[in-house]
């Protein structure tokens, strides 16, 4: 069966604030994205997903939206976005936007109206509750960003619910008017020509109607004092009965348009996550965060060949034929992959991501192995970091993209006073310009792997099979018709010799080493080296 475009595509996530600043205010913007479309074509990616660019007070850097159908002046305007879509399409790049249905900003006109009284037309568009008779909070629920999930509103003399910041009130999706309005948002952007949606925090949209207290987790040691959320089981607020029907309605709306794709941000264990494919009528791809650690972030101490093989095997076993896999190694919410797995393994995981079965998503900057930014307490911008401490801040993976070795790393025009987050100090050596002209760079490896993948039926659609292999190594094959590839990855930093299950010639290598395959079918991989072999 022919693959759909999103099955063949390599996706690339752009965090617009941090990608490219065209105006000199120290913050990336949509014109910056347009200016770099040729770059993306050269890298070889096929689809971009833009994190939010809508009007927003930027308390959660755009994930707090005050108007779903416009562009924040900081990023450009609707015309810039139209131009971005047109310019991307002219280059055969697809464009996905971030759809944030769980909450708006408290500055959204809907909330402004809603909070005005208990009987205005939008009174029931958000989740309002009276205080308990003793004046205390309506229930024990916590905010993901720390503290309680309820904030008192003087005007209405009621509490409103927010799964995230107090400035991000949750919409009441049980109100049909809210649903209609939010489905119209989907139509608004699809009509403008976007190719799909990445849907934000899907699983919290639908809550228990009575919102009973959540059970407490007995052993929640290691959680910050104010991390009420982290010390509770979210049985009434997440993945709650009824959520699937809602997703199907969003999908039906998407399907009013041809050939679009819907991806879901779903931080759940494997089994629950797979339910979000529905019967082929929910997400085309619920994001697979197994390589990040599934429901949280994998502890670097547990990161190993065995960890990776087990997650991939479990995923492959669990997927039905109609369910298309996908892999993510980094995004704007987690530490940089090069920091998590160690810089030594950046090349190895690039090969992993681009040779597994399913759609890969690359996070901007990971193609040059950007590491966690140099963030001090004083630099923290992220609300999660402000409330839960520096170890929880997501600023580390949001520092400006390092384009070149000029003063502002080519991120902002010369003369710009400062950038919204500090530029990481290694930019003189680690930058896109330098790596593009270096045939041994991580960037070039990405380019080569992507190009190879595009012309390889085995990598695009071949079956996956893993093999037993020595400790710290991971070996799998990909096969389609007469193309048969073996991928051998060494997760140890010492040399490893591996007897290959099948013989062949090496066609790709992470480290430009031409003499790894010996005549008797034993390969000797250097530390952190990976190879692709074409079976004869
Ligand atoms: C998603 C986004 C994250 C944001 C949160 C609230 O998890 O990826 O960045 O803070 O939703 O909208």
């Amino acid at each position: 069966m022919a693959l759909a475009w999103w099955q063949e595509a390599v996706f690339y996530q752009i965090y617009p604030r941090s990608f490219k600043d065209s105006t000199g205010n120290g913050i990336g913007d949509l014109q910056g994205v347009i200016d770099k479309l040729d770059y993306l074509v050269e890298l070889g990616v096929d689809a971009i997903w833009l994190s939010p660019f809508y009007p927003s007070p930027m308390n959660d850097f755009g994930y707090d939206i005050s108007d779903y159908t416009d562009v924040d002046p900081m990023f450009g305007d609707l015309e810039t976005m139209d131009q971005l879509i047109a310019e991307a399409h002219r280059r055969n790049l697809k464009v996905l936007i971030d759809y944030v249905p769980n909450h708006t900003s408290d500055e959204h006109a809907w909330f402004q109206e809603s909070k005005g009284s208990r009987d205005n037309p939008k009174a029931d568009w958000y989740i309002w509750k009276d205080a308990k008779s003793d004046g205390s909070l309506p229930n024990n629920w916590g905010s993901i960003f720390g503290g309680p999930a309820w904030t008192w509103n003087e005007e209405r003399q009621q509490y409103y619910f927010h799964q995230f910041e107090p400035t991000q009130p949750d919409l009441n999706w049980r109100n049909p008017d809210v649903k209609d309005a939010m489905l119209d948002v989907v139509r608004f952007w699809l009509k403008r020509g976007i190719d799909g949606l990445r849907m934000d925090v899907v699983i919290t949209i639908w809550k228990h109607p009575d919102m009973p207290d959540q059970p407490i987790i007995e052993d929640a040691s290691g959680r910050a004092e104010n991390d009420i959320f982290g010390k509770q089981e979210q049985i009434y607020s997440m993945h709650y009965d009824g959520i699937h029907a809602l997703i199907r309605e969003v999908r039906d709306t998407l399907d009013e348009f041809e050939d679009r794709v819907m991806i879901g941000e779903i931080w759940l264990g494997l089994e629950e996550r797979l339910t979000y494919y529905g019967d082929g009528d929910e997400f085309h791809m619920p994001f697979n965060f197994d390589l990040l650690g599934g429901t949280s972030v994998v502890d670097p101490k547990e990161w190993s060949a065995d960890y990776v093989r087990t997650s991939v095997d479990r995923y492959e076993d669990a997927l039905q034929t109609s369910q298309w896999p996908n892999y993510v190694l980094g995004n704007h919410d987690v530490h940089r992959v090069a920091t998590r797995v160690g810089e030594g393994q950046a090349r190895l995981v690039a090969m992993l991501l681009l040779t597994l079965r399913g759609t890969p998503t690359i996070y901007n900057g990971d193609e040059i192995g950007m590491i966690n930014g140099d963030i001090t307490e004083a630099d923290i911008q992220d609300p999660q970091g402000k409330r839960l401490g520096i170890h929880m801040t997501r600023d580390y993976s949001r520092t400006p993209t390092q384009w070149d070795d000029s003063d502002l790393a080519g991120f902002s025009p010369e003369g710009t006073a400062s950038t919204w987050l500090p530029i990481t100090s290694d930019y003189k050596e680690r930058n896109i310009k330098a790596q593009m002209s270096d045939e041994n760079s991580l960037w070039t490896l990405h380019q080569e792997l992507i190009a190879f993948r595009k012309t390889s039926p085995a990598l695009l659609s071949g079956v996956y099979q893993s093999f037993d292999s020595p400790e710290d190594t991971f070996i799998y094959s990909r096969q389609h018709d007469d193309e048969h590839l073996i991928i051998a990855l060494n997760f140890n930093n010492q040399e490893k010799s591996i007897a290959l299950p099948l013989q062949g010639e090496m066609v790709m290598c992470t480290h430009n080493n031409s003499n790894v395959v010996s005549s008797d079918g034993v390969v000797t991989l250097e530390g952190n080296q990976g190879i692709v072999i074409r079976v004869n």
Side-chain angles (χ1 to χ4, degrees):
M1 217 183 68
L3 296 179
W5 67 263
W6 49 270
Q7 294 174 307
E8 290 195 355
V10 173
F11 281 67
Y12 185 92
Q13 179 191 355
I14 293 178
Y15 193 72
R17 282 186 81 84
S18 306
F19 193 59
K20 172 77 184 145
D21 167 20
S22 73
T23 63
N25 64 355
I27 299 171
D29 48 59
L30 295 183
Q31 184 58 49
V33 176
I34 297 173
D35 293 345
K36 292 297 180 186
L37 290 173
D38 286 332
Y39 163 75
L40 297 171
V41 171
E42 198 163 348
L43 178 60
V45 300
D46 309 282
I48 54 176
W49 145 37
L50 298 165
S51 281
F53 48 76
Y54 318 100
S56 163
M58 302 289 164
N59 286 313
D60 190 17
F61 299 108
Y63 283 94
D64 47 328
I65 298 171
S66 51
D67 183 352
Y68 284 106
T69 54
D70 205 346
V71 172
D72 195 286
M74 180 185 282
F75 291 127
D77 54 22
L78 275 175
E79 231 181 330
T80 334
M81 188 55 196
D82 286 343
Q83 202 196 339
L84 190 158
I85 299 170
E87 288 295 323
H89 285 171
R90 207 161 62 76
R91 294 166 174 81
N92 285 324
L93 286 170
K94 303 280 188 181
V95 180
L96 273 77
I97 58 159
D98 220 306
Y99 177 56
V100 185
N102 183 72
H103 45 268
T104 67
S105 157
D106 60 348
E107 291 185 17
H108 196 295
W110 298 343
F111 187 76
Q112 292 297 315
E113 188 174 342
S114 188
K115 73 175 187 181
S117 66
R118 295 187 187 200
D119 56 6
N120 69 75
K122 298 218 165 37
D124 193 27
W125 277 47
Y126 293 82
I127 301 171
W128 294 97
K129 291 240 189 268
D130 292 331
K132 283 190 182 155
S133 50
D134 63 357
S136 62
L137 304 176
N139 68 18
N140 72 351
W141 296 15
S143 150
I144 292 180
F145 288 162
W150 296 97
T151 290
W152 180 251
N153 179 265
E154 278 300 324
E155 259 169 289
R156 260 181 80 140
Q157 293 287 302
Q158 275 188 313
Y159 283 102
Y160 65 89
F161 179 78
H162 49 88
Q163 192 66 83
F164 295 88
E165 277 287 283
T167 55
Q168 293 169 292
D170 279 38
L171 282 164
N172 175 19
W173 276 79
R174 288 181 182 269
N175 179 337
D177 294 341
V178 169
K179 193 164 67 187
D180 287 350
M182 287 304 288
L183 295 180
D184 277 345
V185 171
V186 172
R187 292 189 187 96
F188 174 89
W189 287 105
L190 290 170
K191 276 188 205 145
R192 284 198 115 79
I194 57 126
D195 302 285
L197 309 172
R198 173 269 190 187
M199 188 160 161
D200 188 65
V201 285
V202 172
I203 58 170
T204 57
I205 302 168
W206 196 249
K207 294 108 173 143
H208 189 299
D210 304 330
M211 306 179 92
D213 278 356
Q214 309 272 21
I216 305 291
I217 298 174
E218 293 304 331
D219 179 21
S221 49
R223 292 283 180 174
E225 176 78 27
N226 64 343
D227 189 2
I228 302 171
F229 174 90
K231 296 176 199 158
Q232 296 176 348
E233 282 177 61
Q234 311 300 323
I235 60 172
Y236 300 124
S237 60
M238 294 196 150
H239 187 50
Y240 186 72
D241 281 354
I243 178 77
H244 290 289
L246 197 73
I247 305 300
R248 283 196 293 275
E249 285 193 63
V250 182
R251 173 63 186 270
D252 280 349
T253 309
L254 185 102
D255 286 346
E256 291 167 13
F257 300 78
E258 253 173 64
D259 216 16
R260 313 296 164 101
V261 69
M262 197 162 111
I263 307 180
E265 186 207 20
I266 296 169
W267 287 94
L268 281 176
L270 178 64
E271 249 169 68
E272 292 94 4
R273 181 179 2 118
L274 296 194
T275 63
Y276 286 84
Y277 284 101
D279 219 355
D281 51 3
E282 295 185 37
F283 290 102
H284 295 92
M285 295 187 283
F287 261 144
N288 166 17
F289 296 137
D290 285 348
L291 297 179
L292 303 178
T295 52
S296 57
V297 176
V298 63
D299 180 342
K301 289 195 289 295
E302 282 163 28
W303 176 260
S304 65
D306 195 44
Y307 175 89
V308 175
R309 187 206 342 262
T310 309
S311 347
V312 177
D313 281 353
R314 279 183 57 224
Y315 185 49
E316 280 280 352
D317 284 349
L319 284 166
Q320 293 168 19
T321 333
S322 61
Q323 300 175 331
W324 184 254
N326 75 90
Y327 290 90
V328 175
L329 276 180
N331 64 33
H332 64 295
D333 290 329
V334 299
H335 286 199
R336 282 282 181 185
V337 59
T339 299
R340 291 192 335 263
V341 305
E343 285 182 61
Q345 260 178 35
R347 302 177 76 89
L348 190 74
V349 295
M351 180 171 276
L352 172 75
L353 179 72
L354 292 162
T355 56
L356 284 170
R357 188 177 76 92
T359 303
T361 300
I362 298 172
Y363 178 54
N364 55 197
D366 283 349
E367 69 272 33
I368 56 165
M370 277 179 65
I371 53 170
N372 273 2
D374 313 319
I375 302 294
T376 63
E377 294 277 351
D379 298 318
I380 299 181
Q381 301 281 339
D382 177 24
Q384 180 169 286
K386 285 184 182 161
R387 285 174 194 275
L388 294 176
I390 193 161
H391 65 291
M392 289 296 281
T393 205
R394 298 171 297 177
D395 299 308
Y396 290 115
S397 54
R398 299 176 178 180
T399 56
T401 300
Q402 296 160 208
W403 292 100
D404 60 36
D405 65 0
S406 65
D407 282 353
L408 294 157
F411 169 70
S412 285
E414 266 175 55
T416 301
S418 63
T419 54
W420 80 282
L421 279 173
I423 293 167
T424 306
S425 54
D426 67 356
Y427 76 96
K428 292 258 180 221
E429 301 78 48
R430 193 193 317 273
N431 63 66
I432 289 175
K433 187 171 174 211
Q435 291 205 15
M436 283 178 81
S437 57
D438 173 359
E439 58 177 21
N440 295 321
S441 70
L442 179 62
W443 189 90
T444 306
L445 179 67
H446 274 92
Q447 190 195 38
E448 286 169 2
L449 283 164
I450 294 170
F452 184 71
R453 184 181 173 91
K454 279 201 175 130
T455 55
S456 162
L459 288 188
L460 286 175
S461 60
V463 288
Y464 159 92
Q465 189 195 343
S466 66
F467 297 92
D468 285 340
S469 67
E471 200 182 353
D472 291 341
T473 64
F474 178 25
I475 299 190
Y476 50 96
S477 68
R478 302 290 317 281
Q479 185 172 15
H480 181 83
D481 292 341
D482 51 8
E483 192 190 21
H484 192 173
L485 304 173
I486 303 271
I487 296 97
L489 307 174
N490 177 13
F491 282 75
N492 196 299
N493 56 13
Q494 303 295 315
E495 189 176 284
K496 285 266 175 185
S497 290
I498 310 168
L500 288 178
L502 290 160
Q503 310 309 311
E505 81 187 276
M506 189 175 78
V507 284
M508 287 282 313
C509 179
T510 50
H511 290 81
N512 282 327
N513 185 336
S514 54
N515 48 18
V516 281
V517 188
S518 72
S519 52
D520 57 1
V522 173
V523 295
T524 301
L525 295 179
E526 286 171 22
N528 297 324
Q529 190 173 35
I531 54 173
V532 180
I533 287 173
R534 192 185 297 284
V535 175
N536 298 321

